[in-house]
């Protein structure tokens, strides 16, 4: 027997299911920026290595991620891409009038492609000694980006950016 609602006694054979047409995906739109995030805004990072740190928002990249900096000379946070879901916007703003972040794109953060290495035991231990360091051009870019921002900061603002955020 059939428990519950009775089934129809008539059975339909053949093509009774409707075929769904496949929709083509359009070009990916950049994520809309939260309304309270504007360039120069101080954000608090909620995840990652620098969680709890206060950073300055510079611009939104094509991928939808936010470009932020510590500045590195103030609190040790380098130029980073962060998802806006992992940020809290504060009401504090910093003046960005000298900073030029036009050159920084998502390609700036792409890792350099490594060539295939031989898998011998000797090569493994030699490769461990040769650590990849930050390229000199990125260090220069970081300094050039942070210099005008750090110059415009008052002593109080510097100590504010250095302090970590935590709920205690």
């Amino acid at each position: 027997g059939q428990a519950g609602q009775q089934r129809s006694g008539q059975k339909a054979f053949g093509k009774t299911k409707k075929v769904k047409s496949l929709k083509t995906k359009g070009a990916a739109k950049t994520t809309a920026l939260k309304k309270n995030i504007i360039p120069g805004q101080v954000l608090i990072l909620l995840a990652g290595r620098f969680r709890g740190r206060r950073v300055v928002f510079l611009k939104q990249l094509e991928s939808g991620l936010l470009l932020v900096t510590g500045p590195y000379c103030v609190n040790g946070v380098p130029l980073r891409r962060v998802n806006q879901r992992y940020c809290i916007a504060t009401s504090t703003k910093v003046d960005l009038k000298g900073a030029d972040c036009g050159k920084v794109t998502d390609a700036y953060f792409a890792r350099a492609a490594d060539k295939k290495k031989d898998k011998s035991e000797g090569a493994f231990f030699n490769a461990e000694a040769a650590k990849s360091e930050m390229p000199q051009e990125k260090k220069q870019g970081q300094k050039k980006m942070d210099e005008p921002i750090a110059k415009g900061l008052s002593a109080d603002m510097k100590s504010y950016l250095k302090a970590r955020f935590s709920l205690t």
Side-chain angles (χ1 to χ4, degrees), residues 1-49:
Q2 293 156 341
Q5 198 170 1
Q6 290 293 321
R7 287 187 153 186
S8 168
Q10 298 167 339
K11 186 99 170 138
F13 295 101
K15 292 185 179 181
T16 57
K17 293 183 182 176
K18 292 178 183 159
V19 179
K20 292 180 184 174
S21 62
L22 294 174
K23 291 180 183 174
T24 56
K25 289 204 173 191
K29 289 180 277 186
T30 56
T31 315
L33 199 57
K34 285 183 187 173
K35 64 179 182 290
N36 59 347
I37 299 179
I38 57 170
Q41 191 94 35
V42 175
L43 308 177
I44 298 170
L45 301 182
L46 300 176
R49 180 176 165 205

Side-chain angles (χ1 to χ4, degrees), residues 8-146:
S8 168
Q10 298 167 339
K11 186 99 170 138
F13 295 101
K15 292 185 179 181
T16 57
K17 293 183 182 176
K18 292 178 183 159
V19 179
K20 292 180 184 174
S21 62
L22 294 174
K23 291 180 183 174
T24 56
K25 289 204 173 191
K29 289 180 277 186
T30 56
T31 315
L33 199 57
K34 285 183 187 173
K35 64 179 182 290
N36 59 347
I37 299 179
I38 57 170
Q41 191 94 35
V42 175
L43 308 177
I44 298 170
L45 301 182
L46 300 176
R49 180 176 165 205
F50 296 102
R51 68 182 153 273
R53 292 267 183 224
R54 293 180 173 98
V55 294
V56 179
F57 168 63
L58 300 174
K59 71 173 187 175
Q60 186 177 26
L61 299 167
E62 295 88 57
S63 62
L65 297 173
L66 309 181
L67 179 68
V68 298
T69 184
Y72 186 78
C73 58
V74 175
N75 61 7
V77 181
L79 275 174
R80 285 180 70 84
R81 293 181 299 181
V82 293
N83 191 327
Q84 58 185 332
R85 291 214 168 183
Y86 303 112
C87 298
I88 297 175
T90 66
S91 59
T92 314
K93 292 180 183 67
V94 171
D95 190 25
L96 294 179
K97 69 176 158 217
D100 175 38
C101 53
K103 293 177 188 165
V104 182
T105 60
D106 286 308
Y108 176 87
F109 294 97
R111 294 214 174 127
D114 294 341
K115 53 184 177 283
K116 293 282 183 195
K117 298 173 185 145
D118 55 339
K119 300 211 185 231
S120 66
E121 193 174 319
F124 174 77
F125 289 110
N126 290 342
E128 209 172 288
K131 282 276 187 186
S132 62
E133 290 219 0
M134 191 85 159
Q136 198 63 30
E137 64 184 53
K138 286 198 178 183
K139 287 182 183 177
Q140 294 296 333
Q142 178 77 51
K143 282 183 184 167
K144 199 165 75 176
M145 190 86 64
D146 286 351

